[in-house]
Amino acid sequence: MAKSHALPLNERVCVNNTLQRLSDVVILSLLLSLLAYRLASLHRHGTTWLVAFVCESWFAFIWFLYLNARWNRIVYRSHPQHLANTYGDLPAVDMFVTTADPTLEPPIITVDTVLSLLALDYPVHKLACYVSDDGASPVTFFSFSESVEFAKLWVPFCKKHGVRVRAPSVYFSSTEPQLNSSADFIQEWRHNEYEELTRRVASVNNEDQIPNYHSNDEFKDFFKIESKNHPSIVKILWENKKGSEQEGIMPHLIYVAREKRPEHPHHYKAGAMNVLTRVSGVMTNAPFVLNVDCDMFANNPQVILHAMCLLLDSPDEVNNNAFAQAPQQFHRALKDDPFGNQLVVLQQSLVPGIQGIQGPFYAGTGCLQRRKVIYGVPPNGSRFKKKGGKFFSRLQLLECSSKDNSTEMLSSEELRLFYGTSMEFMHSAVQITAGISSPGLPGDLSSRVAVAEMVASCSYEFNTAWGDEIGWVYGSMTEDILTSLRCHSMGWRTVALMLDPPAFLGSAPVGGPASLTQHKRWATGLLEILVSKKNPVVSVITKELMLRQCLAYLILLVWAVRSIVEVCYALLPAYCLLSNSTFLPNTSEVGFVVALALFVTYNIYTLVEYFRYGLSARAWWNNQRMQRIYSSTAWLLGFFSVVIKLLGISDTVFEITQKEQRRPGEDVDDPGRFTFDSSPAFVPGTAVMLVNLWAFAVGLLRVLSTTDAEGPGIGEFVCSGWILLCFWSFLKGLFGRGRHGIPWPVIGKAMVMVCIFLQCCKTA
């Protein structure tokens, strides 16, 4: 309970962004002026002018979405030092870490992440860490079994000596004992133990390399199983038992591999998160849940304390924040963001603005949220109007029944239809939704392993509300955005956890294939949401989602649709150069001045924005060109993947992004250089580059060989040259070798597309 007359846990600060508002309005005005000019002169021009008008109308709409999202900028400052004066007893937190493939996600990376979480500055008896291994790999289990002994040394060492970065790989690579270090510090320095742990983990690539694999009972559950066909496995790697000699050394650590069968859908990461929710619900049932990806270690040891400052009620106000979301930031990120995937400016400019509406989106990692929100409880039960309305109106009665025994109770059948058949889980869920602060679960976790394995079965969710009204929502590869949308649609607000030092640090994909795979998955999942019945437009009409928050969601949800428009606009200069036509005003027309002013103003505005956040001009250019590349490759494939799914031809496929494991000083062959493989994602990008290269050459030859004043002007040449600069890495890939060269099958398919385009230009 919050104490009266306590110091504030956080403060809300409005950011003065008058200059940014003015700049956004100026660019929008220039876009509208260009559209007005095109509309007024549309009758004097051909099809290219109409196509340009449609594309630029779309760009104006996108800019309006950004303007809306950045209009009211809000930041929160948290004061964890005030928690002790406000709350005598902090709430418990269950921490979730997910991994799926020991090859693409090396176990030592996941071990590092878990070790950083176990050592957080928070009461040990209030924490429990659950590791979801979606591949049911004995190698992953072995890695965590080996890490327990080191963890029992590492966690006390971090807390005793105030270690700031508690991921051991990062700490030991950047810290050495100093001459003035205390004797205790030098004696307890654990570098050798960690090196031995990494050696043992790295030496095992399959079960045959695990010492005593067939004779150790701990591994018997892994005998003769397949990664996609096995029973549920729950192992208690470490239990912080009350009264034991080692009580308080470190939090609970539990390994979970949910049941998988080929005939049952498993819903990718969303399914894994729902299993962790149920398993933790019957074992520790903390009212708050923190989840991170396997490669995102805790960089700020006080991250949970900061998050609690944003989520706990103050003495004079009820907190309606559903979760605190940390922005995705990266450790040892490549200089100048060569693949445009570090999202620095996007997060720094958009997140404070969206926080001024209903709050930032759930990003799938680095998020501390209320468990009752996961169970679908709105901030005010009376707001719930749709399918779950009857349940939540009766849930309010249940909350009252904890204080008044005369109130009607929910029947077990109603609870079963919502939560599933486990009485233990139903009991734990009712305690959370009713706000009972002391769940009263048994202290012995081993007594709950059997029921935990039962709620982790693949058939448990049948005929329940899991994946729809409760838990992570199914129906999209981007389950994080879909779950976030349901949360905001219930009327909850959310808050950004923007700390210095950053709360969590992860690894950004390196290389063309990994970056495009990630963006294709995002674009596919976001479009799945847009074309579903759960899209934000429907939520504005039928639920509690604010209109401006809906517009903010559309910034992401239209990524795949943007690809069609941006590819068309990227091909317009080439089409005009080849067909001897124009899509831009001539230099003697007023419209040319508007178009030139728009081009210059937009680029100066975005460049200054990068400088404002401490980034270089090179980083600005890398993000500009990668935006063109992503829209013409990964987003375009995401668009067609959803179209094929809607036609019933094929379902979308979840692709795991490979996690890079690089050490300081490691010799890496120019990691910032663009790489290629035979993925279809590279075909349209190669085609766009080849078309513009051919068109630029043809147009230049036409100018040198004729004095005809008609036809394309300087604008078409500048735009085609701009596209070539954006796709310069593809142009170099034509002459590159190995993974730095575009494979011949990709070039061949791109040439077919080029020939089709050239034929269209001839017949136009």
Side-chain angles (χ1 to χ4, degrees):
M1 293 293 293
K3 301 176 183 178
S4 59
H5 309 296
L7 295 171
L9 297 179
N10 64 74
E11 57 180 308
R12 185 175 186 266
V13 180
C14 296
V15 179
N16 184 359
N17 62 331
T18 304
L19 185 59
Q20 178 180 295
R21 287 182 179 181
L22 180 61
S23 302
D24 287 347
V25 170
V26 167
I27 292 176
L28 182 62
S29 300
L30 288 171
L31 277 164
L32 295 176
S33 299
L34 181 59
L35 290 175
Y37 180 82
R38 284 200 184 277
L39 193 60
S41 54
L42 194 59
H43 63 281
R44 301 198 307 267
H45 298 84
T47 306
T48 54
W49 204 265
L50 177 61
V51 173
F53 175 79
V54 172
C55 292
E56 288 159 2
S57 298
W58 176 262
F59 299 150
F61 170 67
I62 295 297
W63 189 256
F64 174 74
L65 295 181
Y66 277 95
L67 184 149
N68 162 74
R70 293 189 290 214
W71 195 256
N72 301 106
R73 291 169 59 85
I74 301 293
V75 295
Y76 284 89
R77 295 173 183 157
S78 51
H79 304 295
Q81 68 274 17
H82 297 168
L83 273 171
N85 296 325
T86 307
Y87 280 86
D89 189 28
L90 292 171
V93 178
D94 288 335
M95 303 179 292
F96 298 166
V97 181
T98 52
T99 185
D101 188 320
T103 302
L104 297 177
E105 300 170 335
I108 192 61
I109 294 179
T110 312
V111 166
D112 250 32
T113 296
V114 169
L115 289 170
S116 72
L117 295 176
L118 295 175
L120 289 175
D121 286 338
Y122 205 74
V124 170
H125 65 285
K126 295 287 187 177
L127 294 177
C129 185
Y130 295 81
V131 180
S132 170
D133 176 16
D134 235 20
S137 168
V139 174
T140 302
F141 178 72
F142 167 78
S143 301
F144 279 98
S145 299
E146 292 293 301
S147 70
V148 169
E149 289 303 315
F150 175 76
K152 289 191 287 186
L153 301 173
W154 174 248
V155 173
F157 172 79
C158 290
K159 297 194 173 184
K160 179 178 179 180
H161 298 289
V163 172
R164 195 191 71 76
V165 180
R166 299 184 180 180
S169 65
V170 180
Y171 176 75
F172 288 124
S173 65
S174 58
T175 308
E176 291 288 345
Q178 303 298 316
L179 293 176
N180 59 351
S181 298
S182 67
D184 283 349
F185 181 85
I186 295 175
Q187 183 178 358
E188 295 171 6
W189 179 256
R190 302 299 180 189
H191 183 258
N192 291 338
E193 287 92 336
Y194 180 70
E195 286 296 315
E196 177 62 20
L197 172 64
T198 56
R199 185 195 65 78
R200 291 198 305 271
V201 170
S203 67
V204 173
N205 296 311
N206 55 63
E207 60 268 23
D208 294 332
Q209 297 175 330
I210 297 175
N212 305 317
Y213 176 66
H214 293 285
S215 59
N216 191 335
D217 287 343
E218 285 296 316
F219 292 98
K220 65 181 180 180
D221 292 325
F222 296 94
F223 292 169
K224 298 180 180 179
I225 66 170
E226 300 175 6
S227 62
K228 295 182 180 180
N229 187 12
H230 61 84
S232 51
I233 304 171
V234 177
K235 299 280 189 180
I236 299 173
L237 295 168
W238 173 258
E239 182 176 0
N240 182 29
K241 288 185 177 180
K242 291 183 179 180
S244 69
E245 293 182 0
Q246 295 183 316
E247 178 187 357
I249 288 183
M250 70 177 197
H252 303 307
L253 179 59
I254 298 100
Y255 170 93
V256 180
R258 58 178 170 144
E259 181 185 15
K260 281 189 176 181
R261 301 299 178 192
E263 64 273 17
H264 293 293
H266 55 85
H267 303 292
Y268 310 112
K269 182 180 176 181
M273 295 300 295
N274 284 338
V275 166
L276 286 180
T277 301
R278 295 194 296 273
V279 169
S280 63
V282 299
M283 298 190 84
T284 49
N285 203 34
F288 288 89
V289 168
L290 169 68
N291 84 280
V292 298
D293 286 343
C294 65
D295 63 329
M296 185 161 282
F297 64 87
N299 182 64
N300 188 325
Q302 292 194 322
V303 57
I304 296 182
L305 296 174
H306 282 281
M308 286 301 176
C309 291
L310 302 172
L311 295 176
L312 294 177
D313 296 340
S314 62
D316 56 352
E317 183 182 5
V318 176
N319 193 313
N320 281 336
N321 290 327
F323 59 75
Q325 174 64 61
Q328 291 198 38
Q329 296 172 274
F330 304 101
H331 174 62
R332 287 204 294 265
L334 296 178
K335 184 181 179 182
D336 297 328
D337 193 9
F339 300 103
N341 53 17
Q342 295 173 21
L343 309 175
V344 176
V345 172
L346 182 70
Q347 294 182 131
Q348 293 290 334
S349 63
L350 278 187
V351 170
I354 299 174
Q355 193 158 239
I357 311 174
Q358 264 187 277
F361 315 139
Y362 170 52
T365 181
C367 181
L368 183 74
Q369 55 191 306
R370 302 178 191 273
R371 187 182 285 266
K372 72 176 184 179
V373 176
I374 300 174
Y375 292 164
V377 179
N380 182 347
S382 62
R383 294 184 182 181
F384 215 90
K385 301 173 183 176
K386 297 296 156 185
K387 180 180 177 182
K390 178 182 177 183
F391 176 80
F392 283 115
S393 63
R394 298 191 69 184
L395 179 57
Q396 287 182 282
L397 296 178
L398 175 62
E399 293 171 357
C400 296
S401 71
S402 63
K403 306 172 184 177
D404 183 359
N405 293 330
S406 64
T407 309
E408 178 189 1
M409 294 290 289
L410 285 170
S411 70
S412 60
E413 182 60 29
E414 287 175 302
L415 289 171
R416 187 177 295 110
L417 290 174
F418 226 76
Y419 294 121
T421 57
S422 168
M423 292 300 296
E424 292 86 351
F425 181 75
M426 281 190 278
H427 181 66
S428 72
V430 166
Q431 289 177 324
I432 291 294
T433 55
I436 300 173
S437 57
S438 300
L441 292 177
D444 184 11
L445 292 184
S446 59
S447 66
R448 287 297 179 110
V449 169
V451 68
E453 291 181 337
M454 191 266 278
V455 298
S457 66
C458 57
S459 60
Y460 183 82
E461 296 179 353
F462 288 176
N463 299 317
T464 68
W466 285 100
D468 183 16
E469 295 179 66
I470 60 175
W472 274 254
V473 184
Y474 301 151
S476 168
M477 285 191 187
T478 50
E479 77 294 323
D480 46 5
I481 297 297
L482 193 52
T483 304
S484 172
L485 179 57
R486 187 194 64 192
C487 171
H488 284 128
S489 297
M490 289 191 295
W492 286 100
R493 302 185 70 87
T494 55
V495 63
L497 189 61
M498 305 181 79
L499 305 179
D500 185 18
F504 302 95
L505 292 178
S507 58
V510 175
S515 300
L516 264 61
T517 295
Q518 184 183 65
H519 272 261
K520 176 181 176 290
R521 185 176 71 244
W522 288 348
T524 302
L526 293 169
L527 186 57
E528 286 176 325
I529 298 172
L530 186 64
V531 299
S532 73
K533 295 179 181 179
K534 299 174 182 176
N535 71 72
V537 178
V538 173
S539 296
V540 167
I541 299 171
T542 62
K543 298 182 180 178
E544 302 293 330
L545 187 69
M546 295 181 181
L547 176 60
R548 289 187 60 205
Q549 188 76 9
C550 166
L551 296 177
Y553 270 106
L554 289 178
I555 292 175
L556 299 180
L557 299 186
V558 299
W559 274 11
V561 181
R562 284 176 63 178
S563 67
I564 301 298
V565 180
E566 296 203 21
V567 167
C568 287
Y569 208 70
L571 293 175
L572 262 181
Y575 179 87
C576 292
L577 291 173
L578 292 170
S579 62
N580 200 32
S581 57
T582 64
F583 80 101
L584 289 171
N586 293 326
T587 53
S588 59
E589 299 180 59
V590 176
F592 181 82
V593 177
V594 176
L596 180 62
L598 178 60
F599 179 81
V600 173
T601 304
Y602 171 78
N603 283 290
I604 290 177
Y605 170 82
T606 53
L607 180 60
V608 169
E609 195 172 33
Y610 273 75
F611 290 160
R612 184 190 311 152
Y613 297 119
L615 301 175
S616 65
R618 184 63 179 269
W620 166 79
W621 172 245
N622 284 337
N623 278 265
Q624 293 296 306
R625 67 180 182 85
M626 288 306 300
Q627 172 69 40
R628 305 285 80 76
I629 290 174
Y630 287 138
S631 64
S632 301
T633 55
W635 295 3
L636 188 64
L637 250 66
F639 177 85
F640 286 114
S641 295
V642 176
V643 170
I644 291 173
K645 176 184 177 181
L646 293 175
L647 294 175
I649 299 174
S650 175
D651 202 356
T652 52
V653 177
F654 189 93
E655 298 174 89
I656 300 172
T657 305
Q658 183 166 356
K659 306 299 187 295
E660 297 291 330
Q661 185 181 7
R662 294 191 299 117
R663 297 181 178 276
E666 183 180 359
D667 184 21
V668 180
D669 179 22
D670 193 5
R673 187 177 173 187
F674 206 87
T675 55
F676 301 87
D677 63 12
S678 298
S679 168
F682 291 102
V683 175
T686 305
V688 168
M689 180 272 297
L690 290 173
V691 163
N692 276 278
L693 181 63
W694 177 254
F696 194 89
V698 169
L700 195 60
L701 287 174
R702 184 183 290 117
V703 168
L704 296 175
S705 62
T706 182
T707 58
D708 187 4
E710 296 294 326
I714 188 172
E716 284 74 19
F717 279 99
V718 169
C719 289
S720 184
W722 186 264
I723 295 298
L724 286 174
L725 285 175
C726 290
F727 283 84
W728 191 255
S729 54
F730 279 71
L731 185 59
K732 291 198 300 183
L734 290 177
F735 310 101
R737 294 183 178 181
R739 62 195 186 101
H740 297 300
I742 303 176
W744 281 107
V746 172
I747 296 176
K749 295 170 185 175
M751 287 299 298
V752 173
M753 299 176 70
V754 170
C755 292
I756 294 173
F757 181 82
L758 294 178
Q759 187 61 35
C760 293
C761 294
K762 288 182 180 179
T763 57

